[in-house]
Amino acid sequence: SQPADAARLMQGVLAALAIGLAVFLVMRPSVPLAPVIPVSPGFVAALVAQIDAAQFGGWFNEYPRRESLIVAIASAESDFRPGVIGDGGRAYGLMQIHATTAGDFGIADPSELLDPYTNVLTAMAYLHWAWRRLEISLNRQPTITEWLASYNAGLAGVIEDGVIPLAYIRRVRQRWALI
């Protein structure tokens, strides 16, 4: 019958579009997505693993569950919405990176942070740098709490002022426990 054929054709077209979109996003991870469309935790985990291997030589994977902690940060910061702009227009993307921080890591145009790959790479570069600075300043390996605090409150806030944003730490740790 014609209605059944039309329905099957429409299902086939929709399936092809869904597959095409998935392939497009995998092949072109730098495409900014609308703030209301979240990506999956698996998408973020795959980006983290890819970036860790390519840019950091597996450094994030050396510490148990460090890669999954980054996924938990993305969950807490943006609920996996890569196009979100928060903190009064100062924080961008999945990891809610401030434009000034991005500038310190070579990102001149903050709209580039709406690209999931660029955003996660910049966050991981900051986290790697912050871990090393904390090690030097504290003269020991930092705790996860200190590391997360430096991501949220800034490195100077942790080292100089002892700032530990407990509500943020709790939110990230709760999400980390679920991953």
Side-chain angles (χ1 to χ4, degrees), residues 69-70 72-78 95-96 127 144-145 147-153 164-175:
L69 179 60
I70 296 166
I73 293 170
S75 174
E77 291 284 350
S78 69
M95 303 294 287
Q96 287 295 281
L127 286 163
I144 293 295
T145 296
W147 197 35
L148 287 172
S150 74
Y151 189 80
N152 183 258
I164 304 291
L166 294 178
Y168 176 78
I169 303 295
R170 193 171 19 262
R171 186 169 72 245
V172 173
R173 284 186 175 274
Q174 286 170 345
R175 294 174 187 221

mmCIF file of all heavy atoms in Angstrom, residues 69-70 72-78 95-96 127 144-145 147-153 164-175:
data_model
loop_
_atom_site.group_PDB
_atom_site.id
_atom_site.type_symbol
_atom_site.label_atom_id
_atom_site.label_comp_id
_atom_site.label_asym_id
_atom_site.label_seq_id
_atom_site.Cartn_x
_atom_site.Cartn_y
_atom_site.Cartn_z
ATOM 1 N N LEU A 69 37.558 11.543 34.986
ATOM 2 C CA LEU A 69 37.323 12.756 35.761
ATOM 3 C C LEU A 69 37.050 13.936 34.826
ATOM 4 O O LEU A 69 36.200 14.776 35.122
ATOM 5 C CB LEU A 69 38.522 13.059 36.665
ATOM 6 C CG LEU A 69 38.415 14.315 37.521
ATOM 7 C CD1 LEU A 69 37.215 14.252 38.463
ATOM 8 C CD2 LEU A 69 39.700 14.518 38.314
ATOM 9 N N ILE A 70 37.724 13.978 33.693
ATOM 10 C CA ILE A 70 37.487 15.054 32.737
ATOM 11 C C ILE A 70 36.073 14.972 32.183
ATOM 12 O O ILE A 70 35.401 15.979 31.999
ATOM 13 C CB ILE A 70 38.549 15.039 31.626
ATOM 14 C CG1 ILE A 70 39.903 15.322 32.267
ATOM 15 C CG2 ILE A 70 38.231 16.050 30.536
ATOM 16 C CD1 ILE A 70 41.068 15.020 31.394
ATOM 17 N N ALA A 72 33.560 13.809 33.843
ATOM 18 C CA ALA A 72 32.729 14.286 34.954
ATOM 19 C C ALA A 72 32.743 15.814 35.041
ATOM 20 O O ALA A 72 31.717 16.434 35.322
ATOM 21 C CB ALA A 72 33.204 13.679 36.275
ATOM 22 N N ILE A 73 33.887 16.425 34.753
ATOM 23 C CA ILE A 73 33.958 17.891 34.753
ATOM 24 C C ILE A 73 33.056 18.447 33.652
ATOM 25 O O ILE A 73 32.312 19.406 33.869
ATOM 26 C CB ILE A 73 35.414 18.381 34.587
ATOM 27 C CG1 ILE A 73 36.253 18.020 35.814
ATOM 28 C CG2 ILE A 73 35.449 19.890 34.348
ATOM 29 C CD1 ILE A 73 37.753 18.251 35.630
ATOM 30 N N ALA A 74 33.103 17.835 32.465
ATOM 31 C CA ALA A 74 32.235 18.292 31.366
ATOM 32 C C ALA A 74 30.767 18.177 31.752
ATOM 33 O O ALA A 74 29.958 19.053 31.447
ATOM 34 C CB ALA A 74 32.516 17.496 30.094
ATOM 35 N N SER A 75 30.424 17.103 32.453
ATOM 36 C CA SER A 75 29.046 16.919 32.911
ATOM 37 C C SER A 75 28.657 18.024 33.894
ATOM 38 O O SER A 75 27.587 18.632 33.776
ATOM 39 C CB SER A 75 28.898 15.545 33.563
ATOM 40 O OG SER A 75 27.627 15.404 34.138
ATOM 41 N N ALA A 76 29.527 18.290 34.854
ATOM 42 C CA ALA A 76 29.224 19.303 35.869
ATOM 43 C C ALA A 76 29.218 20.710 35.287
ATOM 44 O O ALA A 76 28.410 21.550 35.693
ATOM 45 C CB ALA A 76 30.244 19.221 37.009
ATOM 46 N N GLU A 77 30.097 20.968 34.349
ATOM 47 C CA GLU A 77 30.232 22.316 33.803
ATOM 48 C C GLU A 77 29.125 22.672 32.811
ATOM 49 O O GLU A 77 28.635 23.784 32.803
ATOM 50 C CB GLU A 77 31.601 22.487 33.121
ATOM 51 C CG GLU A 77 32.776 22.481 34.073
ATOM 52 C CD GLU A 77 32.930 23.770 34.854
ATOM 53 O OE1 GLU A 77 32.249 24.765 34.551
ATOM 54 O OE2 GLU A 77 33.759 23.783 35.785
ATOM 55 N N SER A 78 28.761 21.727 31.938
ATOM 56 C CA SER A 78 27.857 22.086 30.833
ATOM 57 C C SER A 78 26.732 21.095 30.574
ATOM 58 O O SER A 78 25.959 21.303 29.649
ATOM 59 C CB SER A 78 28.672 22.218 29.538
ATOM 60 O OG SER A 78 29.134 20.933 29.136
ATOM 61 N N MET A 95 33.572 22.387 28.608
ATOM 62 C CA MET A 95 34.345 22.487 29.844
ATOM 63 C C MET A 95 34.259 23.874 30.473
ATOM 64 O O MET A 95 34.918 24.149 31.462
ATOM 65 C CB MET A 95 35.804 22.118 29.571
ATOM 66 C CG MET A 95 36.000 20.733 28.960
ATOM 67 S SD MET A 95 35.554 19.372 30.040
ATOM 68 C CE MET A 95 36.896 19.407 31.210
ATOM 69 N N GLN A 96 33.430 24.771 29.882
ATOM 70 C CA GLN A 96 33.207 26.128 30.396
ATOM 71 C C GLN A 96 34.528 26.854 30.665
ATOM 72 O O GLN A 96 34.833 27.280 31.783
ATOM 73 C CB GLN A 96 32.323 26.096 31.636
ATOM 74 C CG GLN A 96 30.866 25.781 31.320
ATOM 75 C CD GLN A 96 30.230 26.887 30.494
ATOM 76 O OE1 GLN A 96 29.857 27.924 31.010
ATOM 77 N NE2 GLN A 96 30.126 26.693 29.185
ATOM 78 N N LEU A 127 44.537 21.631 32.641
ATOM 79 C CA LEU A 127 44.611 20.679 33.752
ATOM 80 C C LEU A 127 46.005 20.077 33.894
ATOM 81 O O LEU A 127 46.502 19.900 35.007
ATOM 82 C CB LEU A 127 43.555 19.585 33.580
ATOM 83 C CG LEU A 127 42.127 20.028 33.884
ATOM 84 C CD1 LEU A 127 41.122 19.043 33.293
ATOM 85 C CD2 LEU A 127 41.925 20.188 35.382
ATOM 86 N N ILE A 144 43.194 15.255 44.253
ATOM 87 C CA ILE A 144 42.162 15.503 43.237
ATOM 88 C C ILE A 144 41.345 16.735 43.637
ATOM 89 O O ILE A 144 40.977 17.544 42.791
ATOM 90 C CB ILE A 144 41.260 14.265 43.053
ATOM 91 C CG1 ILE A 144 42.065 13.111 42.445
ATOM 92 C CG2 ILE A 144 40.037 14.581 42.211
ATOM 93 C CD1 ILE A 144 42.584 13.358 41.037
ATOM 94 N N THR A 145 41.087 16.906 44.922
ATOM 95 C CA THR A 145 40.336 18.069 45.394
ATOM 96 C C THR A 145 41.064 19.365 45.041
ATOM 97 O O THR A 145 40.452 20.306 44.531
ATOM 98 C CB THR A 145 40.081 17.976 46.916
ATOM 99 O OG1 THR A 145 39.258 16.830 47.156
ATOM 100 C CG2 THR A 145 39.410 19.222 47.453
ATOM 101 N N TRP A 147 43.253 19.780 42.674
ATOM 102 C CA TRP A 147 43.282 19.884 41.216
ATOM 103 C C TRP A 147 41.949 20.415 40.682
ATOM 104 O O TRP A 147 41.911 21.315 39.853
ATOM 105 C CB TRP A 147 43.608 18.517 40.639
ATOM 106 C CG TRP A 147 44.064 18.469 39.228
ATOM 107 C CD1 TRP A 147 44.835 19.384 38.564
ATOM 108 C CD2 TRP A 147 43.799 17.429 38.291
ATOM 109 N NE1 TRP A 147 45.072 18.960 37.277
ATOM 110 C CE2 TRP A 147 44.451 17.760 37.089
ATOM 111 C CE3 TRP A 147 43.095 16.239 38.362
ATOM 112 C CZ2 TRP A 147 44.400 16.948 35.956
ATOM 113 C CZ3 TRP A 147 43.059 15.432 37.242
ATOM 114 C CH2 TRP A 147 43.705 15.787 36.054
ATOM 115 N N LEU A 148 40.852 19.835 41.173
ATOM 116 C CA LEU A 148 39.525 20.315 40.766
ATOM 117 C C LEU A 148 39.302 21.760 41.209
ATOM 118 O O LEU A 148 38.727 22.556 40.467
ATOM 119 C CB LEU A 148 38.423 19.420 41.349
ATOM 120 C CG LEU A 148 38.259 18.047 40.723
ATOM 121 C CD1 LEU A 148 37.273 17.211 41.532
ATOM 122 C CD2 LEU A 148 37.805 18.162 39.287
ATOM 123 N N ALA A 149 39.757 22.087 42.407
ATOM 124 C CA ALA A 149 39.609 23.458 42.899
ATOM 125 C C ALA A 149 40.354 24.433 41.989
ATOM 126 O O ALA A 149 39.846 25.523 41.697
ATOM 127 C CB ALA A 149 40.121 23.566 44.334
ATOM 128 N N SER A 150 41.523 24.037 41.503
ATOM 129 C CA SER A 150 42.280 24.930 40.616
ATOM 130 C C SER A 150 41.551 25.116 39.296
ATOM 131 O O SER A 150 41.636 26.184 38.689
ATOM 132 C CB SER A 150 43.695 24.398 40.376
ATOM 133 O OG SER A 150 43.694 23.295 39.498
ATOM 134 N N TYR A 151 40.816 24.100 38.849
ATOM 135 C CA TYR A 151 40.060 24.226 37.607
ATOM 136 C C TYR A 151 38.904 25.206 37.795
ATOM 137 O O TYR A 151 38.627 26.024 36.932
ATOM 138 C CB TYR A 151 39.519 22.871 37.140
ATOM 139 C CG TYR A 151 38.922 22.939 35.756
ATOM 140 C CD1 TYR A 151 39.750 22.918 34.636
ATOM 141 C CD2 TYR A 151 37.562 23.069 35.560
ATOM 142 C CE1 TYR A 151 39.225 23.025 33.355
ATOM 143 C CE2 TYR A 151 37.021 23.168 34.284
ATOM 144 C CZ TYR A 151 37.861 23.143 33.191
ATOM 145 O OH TYR A 151 37.334 23.258 31.920
ATOM 146 N N ASN A 152 38.281 25.147 38.947
ATOM 147 C CA ASN A 152 37.101 25.986 39.192
ATOM 148 C C ASN A 152 37.447 27.376 39.718
ATOM 149 O O ASN A 152 36.871 28.365 39.281
ATOM 150 C CB ASN A 152 36.161 25.271 40.172
ATOM 151 C CG ASN A 152 34.902 26.036 40.423
ATOM 152 O OD1 ASN A 152 34.763 26.679 41.452
ATOM 153 N ND2 ASN A 152 33.974 25.986 39.483
ATOM 154 N N ALA A 153 38.381 27.458 40.644
ATOM 155 C CA ALA A 153 38.680 28.728 41.315
ATOM 156 C C ALA A 153 39.962 29.378 40.807
ATOM 157 O O ALA A 153 40.272 30.495 41.203
ATOM 158 C CB ALA A 153 38.784 28.501 42.825
ATOM 159 N N ILE A 164 38.864 26.350 48.210
ATOM 160 C CA ILE A 164 38.376 25.028 47.826
ATOM 161 C C ILE A 164 36.854 25.138 47.694
ATOM 162 O O ILE A 164 36.134 25.149 48.689
ATOM 163 C CB ILE A 164 38.736 23.938 48.869
ATOM 164 C CG1 ILE A 164 40.248 23.887 49.116
ATOM 165 C CG2 ILE A 164 38.185 22.581 48.451
ATOM 166 C CD1 ILE A 164 41.079 23.366 47.962
ATOM 167 N N PRO A 165 36.339 25.246 46.461
ATOM 168 C CA PRO A 165 34.888 25.371 46.263
ATOM 169 C C PRO A 165 34.191 24.027 46.492
ATOM 170 O O PRO A 165 34.051 23.215 45.578
ATOM 171 C CB PRO A 165 34.784 25.841 44.809
ATOM 172 C CG PRO A 165 36.040 25.342 44.157
ATOM 173 C CD PRO A 165 37.083 25.297 45.213
ATOM 174 N N LEU A 166 33.767 23.804 47.716
ATOM 175 C CA LEU A 166 33.265 22.484 48.121
ATOM 176 C C LEU A 166 32.042 22.033 47.334
ATOM 177 O O LEU A 166 31.926 20.849 47.006
ATOM 178 C CB LEU A 166 32.980 22.481 49.626
ATOM 179 C CG LEU A 166 34.221 22.635 50.508
ATOM 180 C CD1 LEU A 166 33.828 22.682 51.973
ATOM 181 C CD2 LEU A 166 35.221 21.524 50.239
ATOM 182 N N ALA A 167 31.114 22.938 47.042
ATOM 183 C CA ALA A 167 29.921 22.535 46.288
ATOM 184 C C ALA A 167 30.317 22.033 44.892
ATOM 185 O O ALA A 167 29.779 21.031 44.409
ATOM 186 C CB ALA A 167 28.930 23.694 46.178
ATOM 187 N N TYR A 168 31.255 22.711 44.255
ATOM 188 C CA TYR A 168 31.729 22.291 42.931
ATOM 189 C C TYR A 168 32.431 20.934 43.021
ATOM 190 O O TYR A 168 32.159 20.029 42.219
ATOM 191 C CB TYR A 168 32.684 23.350 42.362
ATOM 192 C CG TYR A 168 33.284 22.939 41.038
ATOM 193 C CD1 TYR A 168 32.547 23.041 39.864
ATOM 194 C CD2 TYR A 168 34.584 22.460 40.961
ATOM 195 C CE1 TYR A 168 33.091 22.662 38.647
ATOM 196 C CE2 TYR A 168 35.140 22.083 39.748
ATOM 197 C CZ TYR A 168 34.388 22.186 38.597
ATOM 198 O OH TYR A 168 34.926 21.805 37.397
ATOM 199 N N ILE A 169 33.307 20.786 43.992
ATOM 200 C CA ILE A 169 34.040 19.527 44.172
ATOM 201 C C ILE A 169 33.050 18.380 44.373
ATOM 202 O O ILE A 169 33.169 17.318 43.764
ATOM 203 C CB ILE A 169 35.003 19.611 45.377
ATOM 204 C CG1 ILE A 169 35.981 20.765 45.236
ATOM 205 C CG2 ILE A 169 35.708 18.282 45.606
ATOM 206 C CD1 ILE A 169 36.951 20.685 44.116
ATOM 207 N N ARG A 170 32.063 18.604 45.205
ATOM 208 C CA ARG A 170 31.050 17.578 45.487
ATOM 209 C C ARG A 170 30.284 17.212 44.212
ATOM 210 O O ARG A 170 30.069 16.040 43.918
ATOM 211 C CB ARG A 170 30.102 18.090 46.580
ATOM 212 C CG ARG A 170 29.215 17.054 47.196
ATOM 213 C CD ARG A 170 28.443 17.533 48.435
ATOM 214 N NE ARG A 170 28.300 18.974 48.638
ATOM 215 C CZ ARG A 170 29.073 19.711 49.457
ATOM 216 N NH1 ARG A 170 30.049 19.164 50.133
ATOM 217 N NH2 ARG A 170 28.868 21.017 49.580
ATOM 218 N N ARG A 171 29.884 18.232 43.421
ATOM 219 C CA ARG A 171 29.128 17.978 42.184
ATOM 220 C C ARG A 171 29.952 17.159 41.197
ATOM 221 O O ARG A 171 29.454 16.190 40.624
ATOM 222 C CB ARG A 171 28.687 19.313 41.573
ATOM 223 C CG ARG A 171 27.773 19.145 40.374
ATOM 224 C CD ARG A 171 27.128 20.460 39.930
ATOM 225 N NE ARG A 171 28.085 21.351 39.288
ATOM 226 C CZ ARG A 171 28.474 22.532 39.755
ATOM 227 N NH1 ARG A 171 27.975 22.996 40.880
ATOM 228 N NH2 ARG A 171 29.331 23.271 39.099
ATOM 229 N N VAL A 172 31.221 17.507 41.010
ATOM 230 C CA VAL A 172 32.069 16.753 40.078
ATOM 231 C C VAL A 172 32.299 15.342 40.591
ATOM 232 O O VAL A 172 32.187 14.374 39.835
ATOM 233 C CB VAL A 172 33.407 17.480 39.834
ATOM 234 C CG1 VAL A 172 34.353 16.607 39.011
ATOM 235 C CG2 VAL A 172 33.182 18.808 39.134
ATOM 236 N N ARG A 173 32.581 15.193 41.868
ATOM 237 C CA ARG A 173 32.834 13.857 42.417
ATOM 238 C C ARG A 173 31.594 12.956 42.326
ATOM 239 O O ARG A 173 31.714 11.767 42.065
ATOM 240 C CB ARG A 173 33.317 13.957 43.862
ATOM 241 C CG ARG A 173 34.766 14.392 43.965
ATOM 242 C CD ARG A 173 35.252 14.324 45.414
ATOM 243 N NE ARG A 173 36.644 14.610 45.543
ATOM 244 C CZ ARG A 173 37.622 13.722 45.416
ATOM 245 N NH1 ARG A 173 37.361 12.478 45.151
ATOM 246 N NH2 ARG A 173 38.883 14.085 45.565
ATOM 247 N N GLN A 174 30.415 13.532 42.529
ATOM 248 C CA GLN A 174 29.182 12.741 42.401
ATOM 249 C C GLN A 174 29.029 12.240 40.976
ATOM 250 O O GLN A 174 28.678 11.084 40.744
ATOM 251 C CB GLN A 174 27.969 13.567 42.803
ATOM 252 C CG GLN A 174 27.851 13.786 44.288
ATOM 253 C CD GLN A 174 26.776 14.804 44.665
ATOM 254 O OE1 GLN A 174 26.294 15.565 43.826
ATOM 255 N NE2 GLN A 174 26.426 14.832 45.935
ATOM 256 N N ARG A 175 29.298 13.083 40.013
ATOM 257 C CA ARG A 175 29.184 12.684 38.610
ATOM 258 C C ARG A 175 30.290 11.715 38.226
ATOM 259 O O ARG A 175 30.074 10.803 37.438
ATOM 260 C CB ARG A 175 29.162 13.908 37.707
ATOM 261 C CG ARG A 175 27.886 14.720 37.952
ATOM 262 C CD ARG A 175 27.850 16.003 37.226
ATOM 263 N NE ARG A 175 26.693 16.783 37.645
ATOM 264 C CZ ARG A 175 25.946 17.475 36.829
ATOM 265 N NH1 ARG A 175 26.188 17.510 35.544
ATOM 266 N NH2 ARG A 175 24.923 18.169 37.295
#
